[in-house]
Amino acid sequence: MTTQEEINLPFNEMIEPKLLRHRVVSPQLYSEIHKRSLDQGPQFWESVARELDWFKPWEKTLDDSNPPFYKWFVGGEVNASYLTVDRHANGWRRNKVALIWEGEPWSDGPKEVKKLTYLDLYREVNRVAYLLKEEYGLGKGDTMGIYLPMIPELPIFMLAAARLGVAFTVVFSGFSAQAVADRMNDAEAKLLVTADGGWRRGKVVPLKDIVDKALESTKTIRNVLVVRRTGQEVRMEKGRDRYLHEVLSKVPQNAYVEPERVKSEDPLYILYTSGTTGKPKGIVHGVGGYMTLLHATMKWAFDIRDEDVFWCTADIGWVTGHSYIVFGPLMEGATEVLYEGALDYPEPDRWVSIVERHNVSVLYTSPTAIRTFMKYGEQWITKHDVSSVRLMHSVGEPINPEAWRWFFKLVGKERIPFGSTWWMTETGGILITITPGSYMVPMKPGTNGPPILGVAANVYNDEGKPVPEETKGYLVIERPWPGMPLTIHRDPERYVKVYWSKFPGTFYVGDYAVKDKDGYFWILGRADEVLKIAGHRIGTYELESALIQHPAVAEAAVVGVPDPVRGEVAEAFVILRGGTSVRPELKEELVKFVRENYGPIAVFREIHFVNKLPKTRSGKIMRRVVRAVATGSEVGDITSLEDEASVEEIRKALQEFK
Ligand code: PRX
């Protein structure tokens, strides 16, 4: 691609040119370059994919014979563990630090910092793969579960499973027993890896106890491996549970397991994510396309280089961590930080001290984290030296311009690229962002920017027609992209229905968006019944289900309401069972109940007790109406309501709360 026409724009002259691959290009030029990338069709991705190491090259770039079950790089054979570990351990990066792990416990400084080189990682991954294969007989076609805190064993197990072609499913360690059980059952996992406990804000989360509870209702788990992290006593069931260090002590130090030659379109992992209705969906990601998108975005969005120290502050339990802690940075041979605990523990500047002590140069964090830092005040940042940082992005929810400006000034010193990368569990990797590592367009506070090269994003109206500029509509992806899901695990019909039926032939994202006159996308938030609480994706339906499991609750409606720090929190309207007395402590009890049964990521502004909920004549709760009342916006058409008095009921409850 030609770079001759690049224009140096005064608009972004605050960015130091030496921090960029090329000079900043105008949005018009970018859109021409982007158009050319699309004109090439799927072949555009070949040059990116060729930079990966394939055991066998692909024969067909995109198999679109059975839409929407698209297959990328068909005929190719590859292995994600080989790409992330072997390539570097067998090359000049073997003694380069891959992971700088920092444990949460702190007394006058971090109590534990461990560095693993690529050779260390290679050894560990091989030994664990050996164990999984020889001791537990796992191989291609099997699935296993991982429920671990942010300790090195978490990426090691993921990479060991990938090495064998075993699909894994990671459950975020902030989820509770029910979530673990549901996921293990749906994934039909045979083995579950967990820890005795995990550190969170100075307290131990009893992971093994949670697993014991979960395993009361799982059908397929035969064995449990327990990593000793916190050291407390846990129950070990004979014949089922074993400590990792004990079984691993029998595995030779130099154990080697040949990486399985998996097909490009074979599953790498299943990751469960919330939708509008029903239980979370198991999004299945394959190997070849997924790794190709990660390679592209590590280069284009993060401009990753060997001198970098990369830090993504997400948890590996979510897709951000899968893609941009485990597979992306390690594939690029980067040095990265893996931090176990809360960013503001024991003091609000824990995260800044990590940046300073480890010389973090590329920082990937979230709007909710930034708003929390804002709340604490800038003095926590200014007392540290953050000059190592040369590039930043945020992810997970829209970033409000004030938060963007604040962070750009304090950490970015108004001279480094700072973007908001849009993507989701389903997309596998970043699809919309400014790309300082290739052609960067001028930044605008709060925007996501244009789609990356090769990706066709658009904004549609209800009829499936593109909307004019500056008009709100639904975000869609009009063409297949590498990194797209293979399917929903064990439910291909749902995959078609949820993503490909609203606008046939086009991937429906579920977000509202606006495209501006420069072709920048501004993602506005979810268009469905999905909440983003502190960036965590939670279905309102899941919180309602958790509430109605409480013996006092007959019915519940949950909606999202804006929150200055978390972006959004839940607000619940509950009908109590007949005969339940409204005790003053009942609200607290319900909140506690949900947090115990779902996970502590469920945060409520308030729980209201009402006598009626707005429902359609067929009995469906009209959350749209509830949300409108709760957020003080237009209620709109309520002619399909069974009983209009129910709206008043919600209003009254809210007034009493104020
Ligand atoms: O609403 C969008 C929001 O997060 C949703 C996807 O959530 P999840 O699958 O958990 O993945 C989060 C991290 C990749 C999207 O539908 N979202 C994500 N990033 C952004 C965003 N909204 C606005 N700006 C972003 N940068």
Side-chain angles (χ1 to χ4, degrees):
M1 219 160 283
T2 166
T3 61
Q4 287 157 5
E5 309 146 88
E6 285 165 15
I7 303 161
N8 199 8
L9 286 168
F11 184 88
N12 266 36
E13 65 198 6
M14 61 249 206
I15 296 219
E16 285 189 12
K18 60 174 180 279
L19 290 174
L20 295 173
R21 260 303 145 192
H22 308 292
R23 284 177 296 175
V24 173
V25 300
S26 71
Q28 293 69 30
L29 176 59
Y30 183 86
S31 99
E32 273 172 42
I33 298 171
H34 184 259
K35 188 173 167 299
R36 265 183 272 155
S37 75
L38 290 185
D39 289 346
Q40 292 177 44
Q43 275 64 32
F44 167 78
W45 289 101
E46 289 185 347
S47 59
V48 182
R50 243 180 252 125
E51 290 176 8
L52 273 49
D53 267 352
W54 297 75
F55 297 133
K56 183 167 165 268
W58 62 91
E59 282 142 27
K60 200 166 170 51
T61 307
L62 176 68
D63 175 356
D64 55 3
S65 59
N66 182 26
F69 301 96
Y70 297 97
K71 291 178 181 163
W72 282 88
F73 308 114
V74 181
E77 288 176 1
V78 66
N79 185 293
S81 175
Y82 179 83
L83 289 179
T84 45
V85 181
D86 299 42
R87 268 205 307 180
H88 309 310
N90 294 330
W92 59 269
R93 289 195 185 100
R94 70 168 28 199
N95 293 323
K96 180 178 171 180
V97 173
L99 291 176
I100 305 173
W101 175 75
E102 184 163 317
E104 191 195 72
W106 176 279
S107 68
D108 289 336
K111 277 197 177 157
E112 301 149 296
V113 174
K114 207 156 110 184
K115 291 186 179 171
L116 268 84
T117 63
Y118 274 94
L119 186 58
D120 295 331
L121 194 60
Y122 173 83
R123 287 197 188 112
E124 295 305 319
V125 168
N126 267 292
R127 294 183 72 220
V128 168
Y130 184 93
L131 184 73
L132 295 177
K133 186 176 173 191
E134 303 299 334
E135 187 73 22
Y136 293 99
L138 295 183
K140 215 169 150 189
D142 289 328
T143 46
M144 63 177 276
I146 305 177
Y147 182 59
L148 283 173
M150 290 279 282
I151 52 179
E153 284 81 357
L154 175 48
I156 288 168
F157 267 94
M158 292 162 77
L159 296 170
R163 191 168 193 87
L164 301 173
V166 171
F168 57 85
T169 185
V170 177
V171 184
F172 170 54
S173 63
F175 274 131
S176 61
Q178 188 64 48
V180 178
D182 288 348
R183 286 157 172 76
M184 293 308 114
N185 285 334
D186 189 77
E188 299 170 293
K190 290 186 175 154
L191 172 87
L192 176 59
V193 187
T194 189
D196 46 3
W199 288 108
R200 193 72 191 172
R201 296 191 182 283
K203 293 205 186 82
V204 171
V205 182
L207 296 176
K208 178 63 169 60
D209 292 353
I210 298 173
V211 162
D212 286 341
K213 200 166 152 218
L215 262 52
E216 286 168 16
S217 54
T218 56
K219 301 183 199 97
T220 54
I221 300 287
R222 295 198 294 247
N223 296 100
V224 178
L225 268 172
V226 184
V227 179
R228 193 186 261 162
R229 167 68 190 124
T230 47
Q232 84 269 27
E233 277 289 312
V234 293
R235 197 178 72 86
M236 297 294 276
E237 191 171 305
K238 225 170 164 242
R240 188 193 71 184
D241 306 347
R242 287 152 99 188
Y243 275 114
L244 177 68
H245 64 272
E246 284 172 9
V247 275
L248 212 49
S249 67
K250 295 181 200 110
V251 175
Q253 287 296 333
N254 60 352
Y256 172 74
V257 178
E258 180 105 19
E260 185 78 29
R261 295 166 70 118
V262 295
K263 287 200 213 112
S264 170
E265 72 274 20
D266 276 347
L268 174 61
Y269 65 77
I270 307 167
L271 185 56
Y272 288 83
T273 190
S274 303
T276 304
T277 53
K279 292 212 160 142
K281 315 173 274 240
I283 299 297
V284 188
H285 279 298
V287 189
Y290 177 73
M291 295 302 273
T292 300
L293 178 63
L294 295 188
H295 178 52
T297 49
M298 283 307 302
K299 288 198 329 185
W300 303 343
F302 294 110
D303 186 29
I304 194 75
R305 303 179 197 196
D306 262 303
E307 305 77 14
D308 278 321
V309 177
F310 183 88
W311 184 26
C312 166
T313 67
D315 193 291
I316 294 177
W318 304 94
V319 76
T320 309
H322 278 59
S323 296
Y324 296 106
I325 298 179
V326 183
F327 292 104
L330 296 176
M331 173 164 50
E332 303 305 312
T335 294
E336 65 173 329
V337 172
L338 180 67
Y339 170 55
E340 180 184 33
L343 295 176
D344 55 354
Y345 179 87
E347 298 280 356
D349 60 341
R350 175 65 177 268
W351 72 274
V352 209
S353 92
I354 291 176
V355 169
E356 185 180 38
R357 281 182 289 108
H358 302 306
N359 288 318
V360 170
S361 58
V362 178
L363 181 63
Y364 196 24
T365 191
S366 67
T368 190
I370 295 172
R371 290 191 300 258
T372 310
F373 308 151
M374 271 175 98
K375 193 184 70 185
Y376 289 128
E378 60 179 65
Q379 71 279 11
W380 293 101
I381 297 183
T382 50
K383 72 184 214 195
H384 293 277
D385 177 1
V386 292
S387 56
S388 56
V389 183
R390 69 168 186 92
L391 194 157
M392 309 189 289
H393 280 294
S394 101
V395 63
E397 49 174 320
I399 185 159
N400 43 318
E402 309 75 61
W404 187 93
R405 284 202 183 88
W406 187 83
F407 211 59
F408 184 53
K409 181 160 165 251
L410 274 171
V411 183
K413 311 288 183 208
E414 294 183 320
R415 62 175 198 109
I416 69 171
F418 179 25
S420 169
T421 61
W422 176 87
W423 60 295
M424 62 199 308
T425 307
E426 293 83 340
T427 65
I430 296 165
L431 295 192
I432 303 178
T433 183
I434 55 165
T435 48
S438 71
Y439 298 92
M440 179 162 140
V441 292
M443 301 186 288
K444 300 182 193 181
T447 189
N448 298 102
I452 61 168
L453 301 185
V455 166
N458 212 338
V459 183
Y460 283 5
N461 63 14
D462 274 305
E463 282 75 53
K465 299 263 160 16
V467 296
E469 283 165 5
E470 311 284 355
T471 312
K472 181 174 164 182
Y474 303 105
L475 179 65
V476 295
I477 312 294
E478 294 175 307
R479 296 193 197 175
W481 70 96
M484 65 194 306
L486 298 179
T487 184
I488 291 178
H489 185 59
R490 299 206 303 163
D491 205 349
E493 293 85 28
R494 194 170 171 204
Y495 178 61
V496 178
K497 186 160 170 265
V498 174
Y499 303 106
W500 299 93
S501 300
K502 188 170 171 77
F503 307 122
T506 297
F507 184 86
Y508 172 69
V509 163
D511 279 344
Y512 285 125
V514 166
K515 189 158 76 163
D516 73 14
K517 58 178 181 6
D518 290 324
Y520 289 30
F521 285 70
W522 299 71
I523 314 302
L524 306 172
R526 298 289 310 182
D528 56 9
E529 309 295 345
V530 170
L531 305 181
K532 274 283 176 163
I533 303 182
H536 298 139
R537 181 166 164 184
I538 306 175
T540 49
Y541 177 86
E542 291 170 87
L543 296 185
E544 289 167 4
S545 310
L547 276 167
I548 56 179
Q549 278 171 35
H550 189 280
V553 177
E555 278 188 86
V558 171
V559 295
V561 290
D563 179 85
V565 174
R566 294 188 172 90
E568 210 172 18
V569 290
E571 180 130 5
F573 298 85
V574 164
I575 302 180
L576 293 174
R577 287 199 184 196
T580 310
S581 57
V582 182
R583 313 182 295 274
E585 63 285 358
L586 185 57
K587 284 185 183 178
E588 259 173 56
E589 192 183 309
L590 288 179
V591 172
K592 200 164 155 252
F593 180 81
V594 174
R595 289 166 67 93
E596 268 169 22
N597 286 280
Y598 180 81
I601 52 172
V603 180
F604 289 92
R605 177 168 77 174
E606 181 63 13
I607 294 189
H608 309 274
F609 299 129
V610 292
N611 295 312
K612 288 179 202 155
L613 287 170
K615 284 187 189 162
T616 59
R617 281 184 195 93
S618 56
K620 248 180 97 185
I621 296 173
M622 290 185 78
R623 293 197 196 84
R624 171 182 70 75
V625 175
V626 182
R627 195 186 321 114
V629 180
T631 56
S633 51
E634 270 304 305
V635 173
D637 180 13
I638 49 167
T639 46
S640 53
L641 267 189
E642 188 194 20
D643 179 0
E644 288 190 17
S646 56
V647 178
E648 261 328 291
E649 180 84 20
I650 302 280
R651 261 200 199 112
K652 219 173 75 208
L654 283 161
Q655 261 153 19
E656 278 163 17
F657 167 60
K658 275 179 198 142

